[in-house]
Amino acid sequence: EDKKEREELETLRELDRQQQLTERAERKKALLEQDRLRRHQVELLRCEEIHVEFRPDLDRMKEQMEEEKFRNKKLLDAETESLVLFLRRQEEKERREKTEGKSGGSREEQQVGKERDRAEGKREIKERRSPDERA
């Protein structure tokens, strides 16, 4: 019986040792997981700080780009309009020259036509300007 009790005692000790090893392994695993989570939180906080630091700059740059895009569109529209007006005047001038050439218009009539064209061009340019630029 003594031998049987010793074997049981040894078996209990072995089971206890195995249980302690299992508990240690579980505690170690839990500590490692906590450490991983803590490092992850620190990294998230660092990213958040960077985001907060740079967000106003990004917003300002986005706003500046939108303003520049708007200005470029306005400029392109004005240049397109100017080109269209120029081409119309050019076509009109060529038509007049053809008809004057056939009818033999006088120099005085040609001069009056040129002055009229210049006055129309100046008026069109003035009309395209903003109210601030007209003053």
Side-chain angles (χ1 to χ4, degrees), residues 68-82:
E68 187 174 340
K69 181 180 170 184
F70 179 75
R71 282 193 306 267
N72 287 340
K73 184 181 180 324
K74 288 296 229 182
L75 181 61
L76 183 61
D77 290 347
E79 288 175 348
T80 302
E81 184 179 340
S82 176

Side-chain angles (χ1 to χ4, degrees), residues 1-2 9 11 15 18 23-24 29 33 52-53 57 62 65 74 79 90 102 108 117 122 124 127 135:
E1 286 224 5
D2 224 12
L9 188 59
T11 303
L15 287 173
Q18 289 295 329
E23 287 173 357
R24 276 191 210 149
K29 185 178 175 182
E33 181 64 17
V52 167
E53 179 183 342
D57 293 338
K62 184 178 177 184
M65 289 173 66
K74 288 296 229 182
E79 288 175 348
Q90 198 68 17
K102 290 179 183 174
E108 194 174 297
D117 288 347
K122 287 180 182 178
E124 289 170 352
E127 288 173 356

Side-chain angles (χ1 to χ4, degrees), residues 57-68:
D57 293 338
L58 291 173
D59 289 343
R60 187 171 40 256
M61 287 174 63
K62 184 178 177 184
E63 189 176 306
Q64 287 172 348
M65 289 173 66
E66 288 296 321
E67 289 172 0
E68 187 174 340

Side-chain angles (χ1 to χ4, degrees), residues 35-134:
D35 186 53
R36 187 187 70 76
L37 288 173
R38 184 189 57 77
R39 283 183 298 181
H40 184 68
Q41 284 180 322
V42 167
E43 184 66 19
L44 282 174
L45 287 172
R46 191 177 72 74
C47 290
E48 217 173 89
E49 288 173 353
I50 290 171
H51 177 80
V52 167
E53 179 183 342
F54 287 102
R55 186 64 198 193
D57 293 338
L58 291 173
D59 289 343
R60 187 171 40 256
M61 287 174 63
K62 184 178 177 184
E63 189 176 306
Q64 287 172 348
M65 289 173 66
E66 288 296 321
E67 289 172 0
E68 187 174 340
K69 181 180 170 184
F70 179 75
R71 282 193 306 267
N72 287 340
K73 184 181 180 324
K74 288 296 229 182
L75 181 61
L76 183 61
D77 290 347
E79 288 175 348
T80 302
E81 184 179 340
S82 176
L83 180 60
V84 167
L85 290 173
F86 172 78
L87 291 174
R88 284 181 187 159
R89 283 195 304 269
Q90 198 68 17
E91 289 172 357
E92 190 176 308
K93 180 180 176 185
E94 289 172 4
R95 271 196 309 271
R96 261 198 320 271
E97 287 175 354
K98 284 181 183 178
T99 57
E100 286 174 1
K102 290 179 183 174
S103 65
S106 69
R107 279 189 184 271
E108 194 174 297
E109 289 174 343
Q110 291 175 357
Q111 187 62 31
V112 168
K114 286 180 184 177
E115 289 174 7
R116 184 182 61 237
D117 288 347
R118 257 190 250 117
E120 283 179 18
K122 287 180 182 178
R123 183 173 39 82
E124 289 170 352
I125 289 172
K126 212 174 208 182
E127 288 173 356
R128 279 185 278 146
R129 290 186 184 159
S130 68
D132 296 336
E133 291 177 315
R134 290 182 199 166

Side-chain angles (χ1 to χ4, degrees), residues 8-24 27:
E8 283 181 16
L9 188 59
E10 192 63 37
T11 303
L12 288 173
R13 283 184 186 150
E14 183 61 31
L15 287 173
D16 189 40
R17 195 171 69 77
Q18 289 295 329
Q19 186 177 359
Q20 286 178 356
L21 288 174
T22 302
E23 287 173 357
R24 276 191 210 149
R27 280 196 306 268

